Amino acid sequence: MTSTDSGNAPLAVQMRGIVKRFDDLVAVNDVDFDLRAGEVHALLGENGAGKTTLMNVLSGLLRPDRGHILLNGEPTRIRSPRDALRRGIGMVHQHYRLVHGFTVAENIHLGWDASPTVLTPARIEERTRELSDRFHLDVDPAARIWQLSVGEQQRVAILRTLARGARILILDEPTAVLAPGETDKLFGMIRQLSSESGRTIVFISHKLEEALEISDRVTVLRGGRHMGTHAAEDCTPRMLSQEMVGRSIEFTRQREPVELGENALVAEALSTTDDRGLPALREVDVTVRAGEIVGVAGVAGNGQRELSETLTGLRALTAGRIQVGGQDLSRAHARDFLAAGVGHIPEDRYASGLVLTESIEHNAILRAFQHPPVRRGPLLIQGAARRFARMLAKTVGLSISDVSAPVRSLSGGNAQRLLTGRELNASARVLVVVHPTRGLDIGAIEEVQQVLLRARATGVAILLISEDLNEVMRLSDRILVLYRGAIVGEFTDPEQFNLEEIGLLMGGALAAAS
Amino acid sequence: MELELWQAALLQAIVIGSPILLAASGELLGQRVGVFNIGIEGVMLMGAVGGFMVAAEAGNVVVGLIGAAAFGAGFVFLFGLATVVLRANQVVAGFGLWLLGLGLSSQIGRPYTGKRAEHPIDHWEIPGLHEIPWVGDILFEHLWLAYVAFLIPFFIALVMFRTRHGLNIRSVGEDPGSADAAGVSVIAWRLAYVVFGGALIGLSGAFLSLGTTQNWTPFMTSGLGWIGLAVVIFAGWRPLLLIVGAYLFGGLRALDFIAQSGGWNVPPEILTMLPFIGTVAVLILGAWRYRHRPDAGAAPRALGQAFFRGS
Amino acid sequence: MIKRESGRLGRWAMGCLGWRLEQRTEPRNQTAHRLAAIVVGVVIALIAVQLAIGDEDAFNRIYRGTIGSKRGWSNILDLAAPLVLTGLAAAVALKLRRWNVGVEGQFFMGAFAGVAIAFQLESMSGAPLLALMFAGAALCGAAWIAVPAIARAYLNVNEILTTLMLNFVAILFLAYIATGPWRNPQSQGSILATRDIPEQARLPGVEVAAVEFSSGLLLGIAVAMVLWLVFRSTTFGYMVRTVGGSEQAGSYAGINVRLLSVAVLLLSGGVAGVAGVAHMTGGDTNAYATSLSNNTGYLGIAVAVLAGGSFPVVVFMAGVIGAIISAGSALRLLDVGSELGSFGLTGFILLMAAIGEGLANYRLRRERPERETLPPGDQASPAAAAGGAGGSRGT
């Protein structure tokens, strides 16, 4: 009952007994949720806790299977996002849902009843400029979305929602892809919106500290259920994390010192371009020694993807040199990298690392099918493939009876376990790891991290690219900071890793670091 | 009246190009909202037979044309129901629509096969203009529906690029997920425009059966629908370029007749295949131009993709 | 996991009936849905025939014209023979989720290569000449899809559009050839044809249990078996399945996705080319003619789709479509167009199959009545409601 006795603001929204199923998965299970007019309310939970689903119900994108919603005390049925906006509820999705080929002005005026019936580019750009001034959100009306940074895109999405008269603004994981500096700017904007214009804001997040910093009240969801609602000042991170995961999380640095071996991966002056042909990496030097984990910190979109792709042969270099165990791979393809002992845990495991339409067996041999015993001449030996898959499943501790089951039947944790095991099996030398724990639950996160540390202990050279700064700091022996395609800082002493300093560099503050 | 060769070519370009233009306009509307209607040829036949039947029964050409549009729209509604509402595969359903149109139109048109249209579409001479020497009688003495066909792309361009309505249309074909989030009801818009496009394609069929040939014969469209499809691509999905494409393709198709009367050495088939090769070239060159622009391109980016509201 | 929900319009339509169409997170049982849709399609078509003709003789005629007589069987098998190969051609491309809509054009080009070789080497004896003709046809069919294949792999040009356009080029090319140098002076009317290919370059017919049919059918079945084996138990097949599932995963696994994509489409075009020459050498038309295809290429796509892209099922589905077309011609005598039978019914069934597959994305659920209003107590005092909610459901 912590929440009800403080604050006298009227309830703008009451959601009662909301249930939402997807097939057999109950994403939101009998959840109550209140919003007071003018508050900043953090909705906290792990991946899959039902935060986004619950807010999709409020914003009209999904219809609840059960339950009802009261707006200002009136029972209301919200039929669509449009209907929600008419009632003053607007949501800014994690992927901003802007039409990339359109200009900012076109995106603002799209599907909006208040847009002029007859519109010219000049006219809507002028209107956009006015809106931009009114809400203090700086955007370039004539720019096309694909030309903008993520932070700028976010401003467009927020401006669009505000322009349509949203009094209740739902922000879904708004900080996920922002640099620390941009996050501060966003928080300033949220405070201004709530205090000056009295808007109600829902801040969906899985980051405890951020939620506590910005919000007046916090609601925690776990496994689709409502775990509690509290005034932010009554909360401690420990107590919230307990509610989020069901137990307290204590991450300890259990890293035994490892004797460093030779340089396993040496990349010098790597340069490459992105899909648009624009420079994505500028003369990046990376060296990883056997038994070492080198972390690469950075905000998404600063060249991480291109770095991991060049180091695994998926993207060609425009300049530079890559050596693995003394072998030159500067012009080599993915196959050669694999043959040289480079494993890869890719960013998007469901699109790249696994073939979702196929079986566990098919996925298990993805890195082994071009070599005996699975391959003989042009033939694929089914029996050998099956034995290989069973062996791998046993090694990584997958308790599955049938390796011909579809791989999509595995949980996120098990899928990553299979993938990690397969890559370690395939590569004795170097492992390029990208966001290895994104989207996993706490138990699986711990396990994957342990697997990486064990691999390190056996002398594998690991390059860890992650958005999760805590993860990078916990696992790495050395940290490089990537900003706009270049290494802007290096931290060599694990005892001296400094969150603030790394964050500043990630955001582009070019202070020289030790 | 003796026509010079170039005059004959121009005349034929308009005569054959006009129904192509109508069909291409209809196809463009569908494709701009992301629906690839590969069954255009079948729809055109349904429009041709429907228009002919209704005109014959009602004894009125305008009612006949309305009938043609209704036949086209109703027939495409089936397709829209399958692909837009139920998210069936557009290529499969489109082929189904085409074949069904071929068979169904020849079946229901059997009682009318070989009869003449009693109430055909009239020719209009545009006062004053048709007296211009050299070109007047070539450009300004056509079926009145040909002038309408000429104006439709302008109207589409105006709506598409200068109105709120048009912004919504374009967004649905470009990025339905974002359009949906912005408050555009993707399913309704797609269904509405693919069906509206079907009405135009139906009209193009009636242009033939009530205008050009003034009778109904099975399979009478003889590939004009496919040409309409090619014109949409050739024009890079831009409404005004449809006009250029349609008359160009129509003119090249007319070369058979012209080459014969002109005594040329080039086989007419070779000239007639040029537009199709040109369309392939346009596609490839366009892709080359946009190769570094994953977010842009000539085609509507969601063309052919079913829309699922997701989160 | 992607969470999806059906659109408003669909909901509205179903809601009227008290049911609700719900998006599944992943489609289930597409094959079953497709088959059910085909069966429903055939049943509707039979009812339509009954309504249109109202004559019991119609069904009799259909029966005798198809599976009820040796002649009927022979018809079905002859019609199915080219469809097996064109169906296989389309199915090869579908393995990589590509649409070879140009089967029709490659079919023609295959026949063209066959006729060209036959006329050039007229004096050659049967077996080597036929071997050369088939090899040439495969190469020519593959060449006809080369540009779309490369454009798709390296520039991501939609292969549906390019392959479709090249069909028209092929057909016009055919018209040119048939009216030009090799023209058969006897051909007249709208059907243009070259003179017949030499006797020794024709495939013999086959007779099993007094049912005669084109030997092209046996060839088709052999090709289906070979393709099935190759795609099932070679690393090539494994690579195709991988890339067909996810192109990104393909590159990640070290597969040259672009090369594989080109190779698969060339194979598809090659099979289509073989279909063309097989039909010309084994069928009734022993010449290169505008009537050679009769939409065989397009119907092949229908066959492949109805077969769900599976090679063995393609053989069966080609028979089904063959039977439908036979039924169509059987009806012709009853004042029902054979076009309605051959095209109309195929089209209708294709449309039904597409809908069936679409429906596999959904499941039907009885609409749960929503609790629209509140118990009176709660409504009276929002604050009390909030209090009850905040507390009682806490940890």
Side-chain angles (χ1 to χ4, degrees):
Chain A
M1 301 292 273
T2 41
S3 60
T4 47
D5 40 21
S6 65
N8 307 313
L11 288 171
V13 173
Q14 301 168 60
M15 299 177 82
R16 290 285 170 272
I18 303 292
V19 176
K20 180 70 204 173
R21 290 185 197 82
F22 297 104
D23 287 354
D24 301 319
L25 173 80
V26 185
V28 172
N29 192 354
D30 198 16
V31 168
D32 292 352
F33 180 75
D34 296 329
L35 277 178
R36 291 190 187 132
E39 73 173 338
V40 178
H41 194 132
L43 189 53
L44 203 58
E46 284 199 89
N47 281 296
K51 311 174 297 265
T52 303
T53 306
L54 183 68
M55 286 301 105
N56 279 343
V57 167
L58 182 58
S59 66
L61 200 60
L62 299 174
R63 230 164 55 138
D65 293 318
R66 262 222 159 106
H68 54 256
I69 300 170
L70 291 86
L71 297 184
N72 301 317
E74 293 289 315
T76 309
R77 192 187 256 215
I78 300 171
R79 288 160 206 282
S80 65
R82 200 189 178 93
D83 192 28
L85 269 170
R86 251 195 307 268
R87 299 170 196 282
I89 302 170
M91 180 153 170
V92 176
H93 294 270
Q94 198 175 356
H95 308 288
Y96 309 124
R97 292 176 177 266
L98 300 168
V99 183
H100 278 216
F102 282 13
T103 64
V104 170
E106 284 176 325
N107 270 287
I108 300 274
H109 289 84
L110 178 61
W112 186 19
D113 293 332
S115 303
T117 313
V118 174
L119 43 81
T120 60
R123 187 157 171 205
I124 53 174
E125 278 160 26
E126 181 52 41
R127 282 174 55 99
T128 305
R129 221 163 278 127
E130 283 164 18
L131 288 168
S132 160
D133 291 344
R134 172 139 64 96
F135 293 104
H136 312 290
L137 285 166
D138 187 25
V139 297
D140 172 7
R144 297 202 178 263
I145 299 300
W146 60 268
Q147 298 170 316
L148 303 180
S149 75
V150 274
E152 289 168 319
Q153 290 182 18
Q154 187 178 55
R155 281 206 291 280
V156 176
I158 293 175
L159 178 60
R160 175 168 78 180
T161 314
L162 291 175
R164 291 171 199 213
R167 304 291 307 167
I168 299 168
L169 184 66
I170 305 165
L171 303 174
D172 190 2
E173 299 271 4
T175 60
V177 291
L178 297 184
E182 285 182 300
T183 302
D184 291 342
K185 216 165 154 183
L186 174 74
F187 281 5
M189 204 179 69
I190 291 176
R191 288 196 189 93
Q192 190 184 13
L193 283 171
S194 110
S195 60
E196 286 178 20
S197 58
R199 282 182 170 74
T200 309
I201 287 154
V202 181
F203 181 91
I204 302 178
S205 179
H206 64 274
K207 296 178 184 164
L208 296 171
E209 294 81 5
E210 285 183 357
L212 284 175
E213 183 188 340
I214 191 67
S215 63
D216 301 317
R217 291 201 300 161
V218 181
T219 290
V220 180
L221 296 184
R222 186 204 324 154
R225 288 189 167 276
H226 179 261
M227 305 312 293
T229 298
H230 319 276
E233 64 258 30
D234 301 342
C235 295
T236 63
R238 172 178 289 268
M239 149 191 160
L240 287 178
S241 74
Q242 240 162 6
E243 272 192 358
M244 266 172 75
V245 300
R247 62 197 159 93
S248 79
I249 32 172
E250 286 296 331
F251 285 115
T252 46
R253 294 170 63 88
Q254 305 164 305
R255 298 177 336 114
E256 290 120 44
V258 171
E259 185 88 1
L260 290 188
E262 297 180 347
N263 287 345
L265 172 73
V266 180
E268 288 167 357
L270 286 190
S271 296
T272 191
T273 52
D274 64 11
D275 295 337
R276 290 180 199 154
L278 304 173
L281 288 182
R282 301 156 208 265
E283 310 215 341
V284 168
D285 296 318
V286 179
T287 304
V288 189
R289 298 174 67 180
E292 185 185 33
I293 297 183
V294 174
V296 175
V299 179
N302 276 287
Q304 289 92 332
R305 172 203 292 263
E306 287 81 6
L307 180 62
S308 70
E309 286 177 349
T310 49
L311 291 179
T312 50
L314 290 171
R315 185 177 288 271
L317 300 178
T318 50
R321 225 156 55 91
I322 300 174
Q323 280 190 330
V324 174
Q327 185 188 351
D328 184 70
L329 292 176
S330 310
R331 296 270 167 274
H333 297 287
R335 262 177 98 152
D336 311 313
F337 275 84
L338 182 64
V342 181
H344 182 197
I345 297 177
E347 181 173 13
D348 185 347
R349 71 187 78 104
Y350 291 120
S352 305
L354 297 170
V355 189
L356 275 190
T357 49
E358 296 293 334
S359 64
I360 295 170
E361 178 188 317
H362 185 111
N363 281 282
I365 63 168
L366 196 61
R367 294 295 216 168
F369 79 97
Q370 280 170 334
H371 308 285
V374 178
R375 172 185 187 164
R376 193 181 302 148
L379 297 182
L380 191 78
I381 308 301
Q382 311 270 333
R386 179 138 307 184
R387 277 193 296 281
F388 184 88
R390 290 216 182 100
M391 181 274 291
L392 188 64
K394 206 168 146 193
T395 325
V396 300
L398 271 191
S399 51
I400 39 162
S401 51
D402 184 10
V403 288
S404 62
V407 78
R408 56 165 25 120
S409 65
L410 295 178
S411 70
N414 276 343
Q416 189 70 326
R417 213 174 277 163
L418 177 74
L419 210 166
T420 313
R422 181 185 75 200
E423 293 310 304
L424 283 171
N425 185 293
S427 69
R429 199 172 260 139
V430 178
L431 195 58
V432 177
V433 185
V434 190
H435 308 320
T437 58
R438 184 152 79 180
L440 301 185
D441 59 39
I442 296 287
I445 290 177
E446 275 177 346
E447 193 186 318
V448 168
Q449 293 182 344
Q450 285 308 316
V451 169
L452 293 179
L453 288 174
R454 276 202 300 276
R456 162 181 174 266
T458 62
V460 178
I462 298 176
L463 185 77
L464 170 69
I465 299 175
S466 175
E467 299 173 335
D468 184 346
L469 205 46
N470 290 320
E471 178 171 82
V472 171
M473 293 186 20
R474 202 153 49 236
L475 297 178
S476 305
D477 299 298
R478 207 145 54 80
I479 293 179
L480 304 173
V481 182
L482 197 58
Y483 177 72
R484 295 207 172 153
I487 302 287
V488 293
E490 179 171 1
F491 298 82
T492 48
D493 183 358
E495 305 306 320
Q496 308 275 305
F497 287 161
N498 181 325
L499 184 71
E500 210 162 300
E501 228 173 302
I502 298 175
L504 277 174
L505 284 172
M506 282 165 63
L510 275 170
S514 69
Chain B
M1 178 176 58
E2 271 308 300
L3 290 181
E4 298 280 335
L5 192 61
W6 67 268
Q7 287 178 311
L10 197 56
L11 185 70
Q12 284 300 311
I14 296 172
V15 168
I16 300 179
S18 294
I20 296 177
L21 187 52
L22 273 172
S25 301
E27 180 71 24
L28 178 99
L29 285 178
Q31 294 202 8
R32 273 291 191 164
V33 289
V35 184
F36 183 61
N37 182 0
I38 211 171
I40 177 169
E41 180 89 9
V43 181
M44 216 169 148
L45 281 167
M46 289 300 283
V49 75
F52 192 87
M53 284 161 58
V54 174
E57 299 304 325
N60 181 317
V61 66
V62 174
V63 177
L65 290 176
I66 293 171
F71 261 71
F75 197 52
V76 169
F77 183 74
L78 268 183
F79 173 75
L81 220 52
T83 58
V84 177
V85 179
L86 296 176
R87 285 88 163 168
N89 183 296
Q90 294 182 7
V91 177
V92 182
F95 270 120
L97 196 74
W98 168 48
L99 292 169
L100 183 59
L102 287 187
L104 202 57
S105 64
S106 29
Q107 178 60 25
I108 60 179
R110 276 168 96 81
Y112 299 88
T113 309
K115 289 185 185 156
R116 281 205 64 75
E118 302 289 335
H119 305 276
I121 305 170
D122 291 329
H123 280 76
W124 271 4
E125 296 175 354
I126 300 206
L129 291 177
H130 81 106
E131 285 159 14
I132 299 174
W134 297 101
V135 294
D137 44 359
I138 305 295
L139 296 180
F140 304 110
E141 287 180 12
H142 281 279
L143 301 178
W144 60 264
L145 195 55
Y147 307 115
V148 175
F150 178 75
L151 292 177
I152 282 175
F154 289 98
F155 183 69
I156 293 177
L158 207 65
V159 170
M160 204 166 271
F161 298 109
R162 285 292 178 269
T163 67
R164 181 179 74 203
H165 194 83
L167 185 62
N168 293 352
I169 295 176
R170 286 186 287 138
S171 71
V172 168
E174 192 70 21
D175 183 350
S178 299
D180 183 59
V184 183
S185 175
V186 174
I187 302 294
W189 281 75
R190 282 194 160 180
L191 194 59
Y193 272 94
V194 74
V195 168
F196 183 38
L200 287 181
I201 299 169
L203 269 185
S204 78
F207 190 103
L208 300 175
S209 65
L210 293 174
T212 316
T213 64
Q214 305 194 356
N215 68 2
W216 157 255
T217 41
F219 308 155
M220 68 183 296
T221 51
S222 61
L224 281 188
W226 296 116
I227 296 184
L229 186 65
V231 166
V232 173
I233 303 157
F234 183 80
W237 292 267
R238 278 161 295 192
L240 293 183
L241 285 184
L242 288 182
I243 301 174
V244 179
Y247 293 144
L248 178 69
F249 281 35
L252 285 166
R253 199 176 155 93
L255 280 175
D256 192 356
F257 152 77
I258 290 157
Q260 273 168 19
S261 53
W264 295 359
N265 262 338
V266 188
E269 292 87 1
I270 302 298
L271 292 171
T272 319
M273 67 173 75
L274 285 180
F276 296 110
I277 295 174
T279 302
V280 173
V282 163
L283 274 170
I284 292 174
L285 290 176
W288 175 257
R289 214 178 102 205
Y290 286 112
R291 68 196 179 283
H292 293 313
R293 292 267 307 273
D295 296 327
R301 284 178 48 76
L303 182 58
Q305 291 165 10
F307 169 67
F308 295 97
R309 176 178 284 176
S311 65
Chain C
M1 199 182 301
I2 305 161
K3 297 157 191 167
R4 290 162 165 176
E5 178 157 304
S6 65
R8 205 167 52 175
L9 203 82
R11 281 209 309 267
W12 169 79
M14 301 306 291
C16 292
L17 304 167
W19 290 86
R20 176 161 161 199
L21 213 49
E22 214 178 51
Q23 178 76 42
R24 290 181 190 277
T25 44
E26 62 199 64
R28 303 243 169 108
N29 262 332
Q30 284 190 317
T31 320
H33 277 81
R34 201 184 306 118
L35 277 178
I38 294 168
V39 170
V40 170
V42 170
V43 168
I44 292 177
L46 288 178
I47 293 171
V49 166
Q50 173 65 29
L51 288 178
I53 303 167
D55 183 356
E56 275 173 38
D57 198 36
F59 293 108
N60 229 328
R61 224 178 254 278
I62 292 176
Y63 177 72
R64 271 184 281 118
T66 54
I67 53 173
S69 72
K70 288 203 165 31
R71 182 159 173 69
W73 273 106
S74 166
N75 266 339
I76 294 178
L77 296 182
D78 273 346
L79 287 162
L83 291 179
V84 172
L85 283 164
T86 53
L88 290 173
V92 165
L94 282 180
K95 293 277 181 202
L96 217 54
R97 296 196 195 173
R98 300 279 193 271
W99 290 91
N100 179 4
V101 178
V103 176
E104 180 90 357
Q106 295 135 25
F107 178 94
F108 274 127
M109 295 317 287
F112 162 72
V115 81
I117 291 170
F119 287 153
Q120 292 307 311
L121 306 170
E122 217 151 343
S123 55
M124 219 175 192
S125 65
L129 179 57
L130 274 171
L132 273 179
M133 284 167 71
F134 273 83
L139 281 178
C140 200
W144 203 245
I145 202 178
V147 169
I150 292 166
R152 170 65 208 245
Y154 291 88
L155 285 172
N156 206 20
V157 178
N158 188 335
E159 80 283 2
I160 300 174
L161 307 178
T162 47
T163 53
L164 182 67
M165 292 302 121
L166 288 183
N167 283 345
F168 307 121
V169 179
I171 289 161
L172 288 162
F173 180 70
L174 164 75
Y176 166 60
I177 290 297
T179 52
W182 298 326
R183 178 172 188 174
N184 181 352
Q186 258 95 59
S187 79
Q188 42 184 268
S190 59
I191 294 172
L192 303 167
T194 63
R195 60 199 156 87
D196 281 2
I197 51 171
E199 197 68 43
Q200 78 271 23
R202 295 182 197 166
L203 285 177
V206 183
E207 195 180 311
V208 176
V211 176
E212 275 182 69
F213 56 90
S214 145
S215 47
L217 183 63
L218 296 182
L219 180 75
I221 293 171
V223 172
M225 281 168 62
V226 170
L227 286 175
W228 182 73
L229 274 173
V230 165
F231 277 78
R232 186 176 167 272
S233 43
T234 65
T235 49
F236 172 75
Y238 179 87
M239 291 195 279
V240 172
R241 281 201 301 284
T242 303
V243 175
S246 158
E247 291 196 23
Q248 276 170 281
S251 333
Y252 166 83
I255 298 167
N256 188 338
V257 173
R258 289 173 167 175
L259 205 60
L260 187 77
S261 162
V262 171
V264 168
L265 282 184
L266 289 183
L267 178 63
S268 169
V271 174
V274 168
V277 76
H279 189 49
M280 188 183 65
T281 53
D284 298 331
T285 326
N286 287 308
Y288 187 57
T290 45
S291 62
L292 187 65
S293 158
N294 204 12
N295 290 330
T296 303
Y298 296 113
L299 291 173
I301 299 167
V303 166
V305 168
L306 292 174
S310 144
F311 298 130
V313 186
V314 160
V315 176
F316 171 73
M317 274 299 160
V320 171
I321 299 291
I324 290 173
I325 299 175
S326 300
S329 23
L331 281 173
R332 176 186 256 164
L333 297 167
L334 290 163
D335 201 33
V336 177
S338 68
E339 295 85 13
L340 183 67
S342 55
F343 298 142
L345 196 50
T346 308
F348 182 65
I349 286 171
L350 204 53
L351 204 56
M352 292 299 292
I355 291 174
E357 267 190 34
L359 280 173
N361 292 316
Y362 297 90
R363 67 169 157 200
L364 211 51
R365 255 202 358 213
R366 193 82 185 153
E367 179 85 282
R368 284 159 204 279
E370 276 187 65
R371 289 184 292 156
E372 282 269 20
T373 47
L374 284 173
D378 277 0
Q379 207 158 15
S381 151
S392 61
R393 294 187 204 279
T395 358

